[in-house]
Amino acid sequence: MSSDENFVKFIVDQIDPAGVIRYRKMFGEYTIYCDEKIVALICDNKLYVKKTNGGKDFIGEAFEA
């Protein structure tokens, strides 16, 4: 099942203050860029955020898929 563009736009609106945000459709799913760096994927209407040490310190324990 491919992701719904309305869901993608909702996510992009939520993270817009983080920097220059854009998204690109690839094979029915989406890649999210912040300041031209890949930061997340949206697959089957689920958000997958790139794991980094700084992010892990910020969020603490998180469910990983």
Side-chain angles (χ1 to χ4, degrees):
M1 175 178 102
S2 62
S3 295
D4 178 31
E5 190 170 6
N6 289 325
F7 177 75
V8 176
K9 289 178 180 179
F10 171 77
I11 296 296
V12 167
D13 286 345
Q14 300 301 304
I15 62 175
D16 187 58
V20 177
I21 305 296
R22 70 180 182 93
Y23 62 93
R24 183 175 179 190
K25 187 172 186 173
M26 299 175 74
F27 308 109
E29 305 301 348
Y30 293 84
T31 303
I32 307 293
Y33 298 83
C34 179
D35 297 330
E36 297 304 314
K37 293 182 183 178
I38 296 173
V39 295
L41 301 173
I42 296 179
C43 304
D44 296 331
N45 283 343
K46 294 178 185 171
L47 177 66
Y48 296 92
V49 179
K50 183 176 178 181
K51 184 178 176 180
T52 64
N53 289 333
K56 186 177 179 184
D57 291 341
F58 177 76
I59 199 167
E61 285 297 315
F63 175 77
E64 296 182 26

